[in-house]
Amino acid sequence: MASEEFTTHSTEETIARGREIAARLKPPALILLSGDLGSGKTTLTKGIASGLGAAREEEVTSPTFTLVHKYDGAARVYHVDLYRIADLRDLETLGLEDVFSEQAIVIVEWPEKLALRTDWPVIRIHLAHLSEDERRISVETQQGTLATIP
Ligand code: ADP
Ligand code: MG
């Protein structure tokens, strides 16, 4: 296990950190984003998805009601929000089982709602409110999953 922790002081800084994470990612990977409502999970996803060239920052919005958004550009990113998931049947409707057969990055908000099974490398990121504009962000990976910044 490798872990990193940092604090951001604005929305823009969290997006920039997401871009940095994207630069170190090699698909396929599963990214699990935990943390309270408003802790910045969707904001960080804007950085990751835009950093990968999958979508523009402003195209990345919360999939709260649709449960999943697919961004298809230079890379393919599935952005899943399980906050409103009622039961496993919802998931079958989404066809989420199929996403793990592709060379993609899958980003999941509220991952604790569901046991996701995959043999992909998993990156766990926890976000916590420190103050109105400050967030503590902890990243945990299996060794070698995220390339180190040279
Ligand atoms: P979540 O997906 O975890 O519910 P969002 O990313 O949708 O959270 O919302 C985070 C909110 O907090 C946004 O309105 C964002 O502008 C604001 N915010 C303020 N400071 C930060 C920060 N340092 N990092 C991320 N978001 C921040
Ligand atoms: Mg969100």
Side-chain angles (χ1 to χ4, degrees), residues 41-42 62 81 109:
K41 302 179 293 298
T42 298
S62 181
D81 187 337
E109 300 190 32

Side-chain angles (χ1 to χ4, degrees), residues 8-15 35-44 62 81 109-110 127 129 131-135 137:
T8 65
H9 307 84
S10 68
T11 305
E12 293 68 32
E13 194 181 349
T14 295
I15 293 173
D36 294 339
L37 271 180
S39 60
K41 302 179 293 298
T42 298
T43 301
L44 188 68
S62 181
D81 187 337
E109 300 190 32
W110 298 98
L127 298 94
H129 263 100
S131 69
E132 190 176 340
D133 291 325
E134 287 180 310
R135 302 293 186 271
I137 302 178

Side-chain angles (χ1 to χ4, degrees), residues 10-11 26 31 48 55-56 58 75 80 123 131-132 140:
S10 68
T11 305
K26 201 178 151 293
I31 303 179
I48 297 173
R56 280 178 291 117
E58 56 275 21
V80 184
I123 299 163
S131 69
E132 190 176 340
E140 270 197 16

Side-chain angles (χ1 to χ4, degrees), residues 48-69:
I48 297 173
S50 64
L52 286 165
R56 280 178 291 117
E57 192 183 303
E58 56 275 21
E59 290 172 328
V60 178
T61 55
S62 181
T64 308
F65 296 98
T66 48
L67 299 182
V68 58
H69 284 166

Side-chain angles (χ1 to χ4, degrees), residues 70-133:
K70 180 181 179 178
Y71 310 118
D72 226 349
R76 180 168 291 174
V77 172
Y78 289 94
H79 179 198
V80 184
D81 187 337
L82 298 174
Y83 187 62
R84 286 176 180 272
I85 195 153
D87 56 41
L88 281 171
R89 260 169 302 157
D90 280 359
L91 205 68
E92 282 163 22
T93 318
L94 288 173
L96 248 196
E97 320 84 56
D98 298 336
V99 308
F100 292 117
S101 62
E102 297 179 39
Q103 200 72 4
I105 299 289
V106 178
I107 303 174
V108 182
E109 300 190 32
W110 298 98
E112 56 273 42
K113 298 258 180 174
L114 203 73
L116 290 166
R117 250 166 297 156
T118 175
D119 51 10
W120 284 11
V122 178
I123 299 163
R124 290 170 201 281
I125 304 182
H126 183 74
L127 298 94
H129 263 100
L130 293 184
S131 69
E132 190 176 340
D133 291 325

